[in-house]
Structures are given as structure tokens and as C-alpha cells.
Amino acid sequence: DAEITQSPRHKITETGRQVTLACHQTWNHNNMFWYRQDLGHGLRLIHYSYGVQDTNKGEVSDGYSVSRSNTEDLPLTLESAASSQTSVYFCASSQGALTGELFFGEGSRLTVL
Amino acid sequence: AQSVTQLGSHVSVSEGALVLLRCNYSSSVPPYLFWYVQYPNQGLQLLLKYTSAATLVKGINGFEAEFKKSETSFHLTKPSAHMSDAAEYFCAVSEDNQGGKLIFGQGTELSVKP
């Protein structure tokens, strides 16, 4: 069955370190997204991509970067982790226009000490 | 700019009672609207979506939502709550016809009492 997987599921890191969260989907979806979930804020869009070599900033993109070198993967990098980036991160993908349905991974819980 | 407001961060109902979760949106163009559910330690799953067809939308697990343009609302209802409905529910809006760029509300945690 097609799926979307995130790794690692849990990570603890220190302030200032670079961290990369992986996201891999086997649906062959063009669209991929990274959200962060924080209490009281719901899900906020970090970055998104509509295809290979396409990346766009979301509403909370500062301190994060993504790259899209193939259809299946959209890794999220925190260049210099900060305590404010402690959160649960969700990757999602969608098929395309007007379907609206996002398929979510199970999340990556990141703690920055 | 589009936005979503969910009224009530926590709703508690008794098993068998009506579930009503409120969502109001702001959008400059006809919106696409969604409800997602999140069970503990899982990602989100689509419950239902409105994409300008019927204003009353039926979803999975007995949930439905009605799009009311005059009230800019998209409230989620279920006639009779079940213990398994306990979860967090998110309303979301999209104006992007390329699909999937959603703006989410803050979420409403639903508790169901026996």
C-alpha cells in the first residue's frame, strides 16, 4: 500500500545544531507540505512544494529550509535549531488540483534543549 | 487573507448526545473547506470536504457539515456521539486550486463521557 513515512519519529537535539527531518511518500503525489503543530496554534504551514525543484515558503518558514530533488522526498532542515522550534512536525502530500485531501505522516516530535 | 476560527478549544459531550463543533472562515474567494480528525499520536485524517457542490456534506463515521455562506460557517455535527469519536478536530480552508495548501484552525478537542 502507498504511504507517507517520517523519520525520525522522536528526536532530541541541542540549540544551534542542524537537524533534518525526512519525509518519503510512495503515492507519486506532486504536492508535499510540512506543518508544525503547537498547542493553541493548530497546524501552521512551514514550506510546501508543487513538484520537483519547486519550493515555497509558508507562514512560519523562518529558520527552516526544504529541497525537492525527486517526487518522493521533501526533507525539512533546521539550520540552527532553537528552543522555539520544539514542536511536532507533520509531513503531508496531495494528488493535485481541487482534491483537497492531504495524506499525513504520523509526525516527528522534536525537542530542542 | 484566508483564515479559520474554531470556537471552543475543548468540547465535552455525553455518549449518545449531539456533537457540534463550530468553524468560521474568512476568504476573499469561494473557499474549499475541510474537516480533519486526529487521534492520539497519529497524523490527521480527512473527515469530509466542501468543494462548491452540495452545501450539506456527509463524511465518514456519521459526521456531516453544512456550508453557510451568509454566516461564513462550516460547523461539524454528528447526531449521536460515540466513545470512539474522542479526538481532536481541525477545520481548514483552501483557496489554492493546485490542491492541498490548507490553512488550519486551532483545533477542538472532543471528549465523550460515558
Side-chain angles (χ1 to χ4, degrees), chain A residues 31 33 35 37 40 42-43 48 50 90 94 96-102 104-105, chain B residues 32 34 36 38 42-44 46 49 90 96-102 104-106:
Chain A
N31 304 338
F33 307 83
Y35 288 87
Q37 183 178 22
L43 278 80
Y48 61 102
Y50 286 147
F90 286 97
S94 73
L98 301 183
T99 62
E101 181 170 5
L102 292 181
F104 281 84
Chain B
Y32 303 106
F34 309 85
Y36 281 80
Q38 183 182 32
Q42 294 186 24
L44 281 70
L46 181 67
K49 63 183 179 183
F90 292 91
D96 185 339
N97 66 3
Q98 290 192 259
K101 182 186 167 188
L102 302 184
F104 286 87
Q106 303 93 321

Side-chain angles (χ1 to χ4, degrees), chain A residues 9-53:
Chain A
R9 294 291 312 281
H10 301 271
K11 185 170 182 65
I12 300 174
T13 191
E14 295 177 344
T15 301
R17 289 190 181 267
Q18 183 180 80
V19 175
T20 296
L21 305 180
C23 176
H24 179 81
Q25 53 98 1
T26 58
W27 276 298
N28 202 35
H29 286 165
N30 284 326
N31 304 338
M32 295 185 73
F33 307 83
W34 275 104
Y35 288 87
R36 60 177 287 176
Q37 183 178 22
D38 303 287
L39 196 63
H41 291 279
L43 278 80
R44 292 179 291 176
L45 184 62
I46 305 171
H47 281 285
Y48 61 102
S49 169
Y50 286 147
V52 176
Q53 301 301 332

Side-chain angles (χ1 to χ4, degrees), chain B residues 54-96:
Chain B
T55 57
L56 182 63
V57 181
K58 294 186 183 299
I60 61 172
N61 301 336
F63 284 93
E64 62 181 37
E66 185 172 9
F67 172 67
K68 292 187 176 180
K69 184 178 178 180
S70 61
E71 300 177 6
T72 61
S73 69
F74 191 57
H75 301 331
L76 181 71
T77 61
K78 181 174 181 178
S80 176
H82 192 274
M83 297 296 291
S84 60
D85 295 326
E88 186 145 23
Y89 293 80
F90 292 91
C91 183
V93 64
S94 173
E95 296 177 345
D96 185 339

Side-chain angles (χ1 to χ4, degrees), chain A:
Chain A
D1 287 343
E3 61 182 2
I4 182 166
T5 55
Q6 295 183 230
S7 62
R9 294 291 312 281
H10 301 271
K11 185 170 182 65
I12 300 174
T13 191
E14 295 177 344
T15 301
R17 289 190 181 267
Q18 183 180 80
V19 175
T20 296
L21 305 180
C23 176
H24 179 81
Q25 53 98 1
T26 58
W27 276 298
N28 202 35
H29 286 165
N30 284 326
N31 304 338
M32 295 185 73
F33 307 83
W34 275 104
Y35 288 87
R36 60 177 287 176
Q37 183 178 22
D38 303 287
L39 196 63
H41 291 279
L43 278 80
R44 292 179 291 176
L45 184 62
I46 305 171
H47 281 285
Y48 61 102
S49 169
Y50 286 147
V52 176
Q53 301 301 332
D54 176 74
T55 61
N56 306 278
K57 294 181 178 180
E59 65 176 301
V60 290
S61 60
D62 287 349
Y64 303 94
S65 64
V66 294
S67 61
R68 188 88 180 272
S69 58
N70 59 51
T71 300
E72 296 80 15
D73 299 290
L74 188 70
L76 177 71
T77 297
L78 288 68
E79 301 294 343
S80 177
S83 58
S84 61
Q85 295 176 309
T86 293
S87 186
V88 181
Y89 292 86
F90 286 97
C91 181
S93 69
S94 73
Q95 184 175 2
L98 301 183
T99 62
E101 181 170 5
L102 292 181
F103 294 84
F104 281 84
E106 294 192 331
S108 295
R109 183 176 295 276
L110 176 67
T111 301
V112 183
L113 301 176

